[in-house]
């Protein structure tokens, strides 16, 4: 009786640094059950190649220079995941801030790995991601668990209102008009929101607010 030969895991690399992609390609070529089917230097290119090559897993960097970042590309790539038509995205990056991790997971990433990991950890994460299982670097997993154990920050009603407007993409002037307050007041509230959530950007505030279910 003939045994069925397992197909290799098809990988698409997305990183804006050519040297990094070359190193990953050389490393992954050493694994018999992993096949790199394409390389992309931008998020836009990754989306186009994924539609054409149909990889099982996209190894995605977060910072991609000009154009969309890795989070936006991940969101686009995983849009049809529930219908089984999208690749799994495994983030591979040097960034491990709470905001980056939260944004990537919210965007649909199956796993989050740091570039400092050992090769065997990367191989294991790729196999997990190909099966739709969560794969996290130990430091990332520790941060996620620590954040889950943190008491939720207490926000005022006004701060929640402003967060809700942020989540809809409004700028300070638009928020001021919508809530009938001054732009200076909006900036003051934003500063307090950032301090309470431990972030320093609007995107970070929205990501943490979603993670901790602080939005209405």
């Amino acid at each position: 009786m003939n045994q069925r030969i397992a197909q290799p895991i098809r990988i698409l690399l997305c990183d804006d640094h050519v040297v990094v992609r070359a190193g990953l390609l050389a490393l992954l070529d050493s694994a018999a059950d992993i096949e790199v089917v394409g390389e992309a230097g931008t998020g836009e290119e990754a989306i186009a190649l994924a539609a054409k090559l149909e990889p099982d897993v996209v190894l995605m960097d977060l910072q991609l220079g000009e154009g969309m970042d890795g989070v936006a590309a991940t969101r686009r790539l995983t849009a049809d995941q529930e219908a089984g038509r999208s690749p799994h995205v495994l983030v591979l990056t040097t960034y491990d801030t709470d905001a980056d991790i939260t944004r990537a997971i919210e965007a649909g990433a199956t796993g989050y790995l740091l570039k400092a990991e050992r090769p065997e950890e990367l191989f294991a994460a790729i196999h997990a991601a190909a099966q739709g299982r969560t794969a996290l670097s130990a430091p990332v997993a520790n941060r996620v668990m620590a954040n889950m154990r943190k008491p939720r920050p207490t926000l005022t009603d006004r701060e929640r209102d402003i967060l809700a407007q942020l989540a809809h993409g409004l700028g300070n002037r638009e928020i001021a008009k919508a809530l009938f307050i001054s732009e200076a007041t909006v900036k003051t509230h934003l500063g307090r929101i950032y301090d309470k959530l431990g972030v320093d950007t609007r995107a970070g505030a929205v990501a943490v607010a979603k993670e901790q279910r602080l939005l209405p």
Side-chain angles (χ1 to χ4, degrees), residues 9 11 13 18-36 39 59 90 92 113-127:
I9 299 171
I11 300 292
L13 303 179
V18 177
V19 173
V20 172
R21 295 203 307 271
L24 285 171
L25 181 60
L27 176 62
L28 296 176
D29 274 350
S30 68
D33 56 354
I34 294 175
E35 177 187 5
V36 177
E39 301 178 43
L59 278 185
L90 175 59
L92 183 63
L113 214 65
L114 300 179
K115 289 181 178 178
E117 291 291 352
R118 295 173 299 175
E120 53 267 33
E121 296 293 337
L122 175 59
F123 294 151
I126 288 173
H127 281 85

Side-chain angles (χ1 to χ4, degrees), residues 75-179:
R75 186 174 294 109
R76 290 277 300 277
L77 286 167
T78 60
D80 293 329
Q81 208 161 70
E82 291 183 3
R85 295 192 296 268
S86 298
H88 295 289
V89 175
L90 175 59
V91 170
L92 183 63
T93 185
T94 57
Y95 300 92
D96 65 346
T97 66
D98 293 346
D100 285 327
I101 295 168
T102 300
R103 290 177 63 224
I105 294 174
E106 287 281 346
T110 300
Y112 197 109
L113 214 65
L114 300 179
K115 289 181 178 178
E117 291 291 352
R118 295 173 299 175
E120 53 267 33
E121 296 293 337
L122 175 59
F123 294 151
I126 288 173
H127 281 85
Q131 298 172 33
R133 294 188 286 111
T134 302
L136 300 175
S137 287
V140 174
N142 290 339
R143 292 185 79 107
V144 171
M145 292 301 294
N147 285 334
M148 291 179 65
R149 295 189 184 105
K150 278 185 197 174
R152 294 173 65 186
T154 302
L155 300 177
T156 66
D157 289 341
R158 178 59 79 192
E159 288 166 352
R160 287 177 182 273
D161 290 340
I162 289 175
L163 261 178
Q165 301 298 326
L166 282 184
H168 285 97
L170 271 63
N172 288 3
R173 180 175 298 178
E174 295 169 308
I175 293 174
K177 287 183 178 180
L179 300 180

Side-chain angles (χ1 to χ4, degrees), residues 172-200:
N172 288 3
R173 180 175 298 178
E174 295 169 308
I175 293 174
K177 287 183 178 180
L179 300 180
F180 303 103
I181 56 180
S182 68
E183 285 189 61
T185 300
V186 172
K187 290 179 181 179
T188 298
H189 282 303
L190 280 177
R192 292 171 182 164
I193 290 170
Y194 291 171
D195 288 341
K196 290 181 179 181
L197 300 185
V199 299
D200 54 12

